[in-house]
Amino acid sequence: MSGERPAAGMDVTRPSPARIYDWLLGGKDNFEADREAGARLLEAQPLAGMMARANRGFLERGVRALAEAGVRRFLDLGTGLPTSPNVHEIALAADPGARVVYVDNDPLVAAHNAALRAKPAGVAAVHADIRDPDAVLARPEVADLLEPGEPVAVLMLAVLHFLPDEDDPHAVVAAYRDRLAPGGYLAVSTPSTEGYTGAELAEITSPYRTATAGVTIRTRESIEAFFGGWPLLPPGLVEASRWRVDGPELRGKMLAGIARRP
């Protein structure tokens, strides 16, 4: 059973991507509909749990690498349910003066993020839809973070496949990416079509058809386009399990990369 009561505005009868992801990671912030959808996902893609854990590993290594490169400001878009160590824990461990803003539209995530007000100074949370960049960027917490000065890292990890093509995800990403000053970074992780047949893709996306957001899995070329031609940090756009670590090569790739604005 879930360790959480439903948050205000949350429909527990429909699976939520954030709660399915939490279940895949062994978390407790999920409900029966999420567990059923997660089980169907594992039937279609037995490596889904490993891919989720690989993405978490990429988050940890990526944020740590950015902090070591001198980044002290992080904008985490589509943050999902907290799993330790989270972005602010890694960033603050590297520099107590680091600042992190989380943005998500899931009601349960918002309830968790509200508790961040009790966390150390420099951590803020915004309940908003990342598909509306103008509204997100107008929030004072975000606008202040993006003020010229130190470099900012925008994180869009395991979230872009929940934006359908009709939402024009490349324009959404560009709206955030183009606000970054030179020296800023964009980190992206999202599953690709590599290694799948069309029938397999249909099976993998099927559990999300009744969820609060569907899934669109994109080609490597489409994922590369999210970076807007910015140079990627070594080792480039690779499986999350192999970004700066000798991890396993998984059939069905969660591609991950970090690019720096010249």
Side-chain angles (χ1 to χ4, degrees), residues 3 25 27-28 81 91 122 139 158 161 174 176 179 201 236:
L25 291 171
K28 62 180 178 60
L81 288 160
R139 293 291 294 262
H161 49 296
Y176 296 105
R179 281 292 303 271
L201 288 171

Side-chain angles (χ1 to χ4, degrees), residues 20 135 178 185 230 237 259:
I20 294 172
D178 294 348
Y185 293 86
W230 292 4
L237 185 63

Side-chain angles (χ1 to χ4, degrees), residues 89-115:
E89 294 173 317
I90 302 167
L92 290 170
D95 188 332
R99 296 166 58 195
V100 177
V101 176
Y102 293 109
V103 181
D104 204 290
N105 70 338
D106 186 284
L108 184 56
V109 174
H112 276 283
N113 282 345

Side-chain angles (χ1 to χ4, degrees), residues 125-218:
V126 172
H127 186 202
D129 194 325
I130 69 169
R131 293 172 297 180
D132 189 353
D134 290 341
V136 172
L137 293 169
R139 293 291 294 262
E141 303 94 327
V142 178
D144 182 60
L145 190 77
L146 296 177
E147 279 295 306
E150 299 177 20
V152 177
V154 169
L155 313 177
M156 305 187 83
L157 308 184
V159 66
L160 292 174
H161 49 296
F162 297 116
L163 274 61
D165 290 339
E166 51 264 34
D167 284 339
D168 198 354
H170 289 90
V172 170
V173 174
Y176 296 105
R177 187 187 67 222
D178 294 348
R179 281 292 303 271
L180 296 179
Y185 293 86
L186 172 66
V188 167
S189 64
T190 190
S192 83
T193 58
E194 293 181 351
Y196 294 117
T197 66
E200 287 172 331
L201 288 171
E203 290 183 11
I204 291 167
T205 57
S206 176
Y208 290 92
R209 290 175 187 164
T210 60
T212 55
V215 166
T216 301
I217 301 180
R218 298 184 166 88

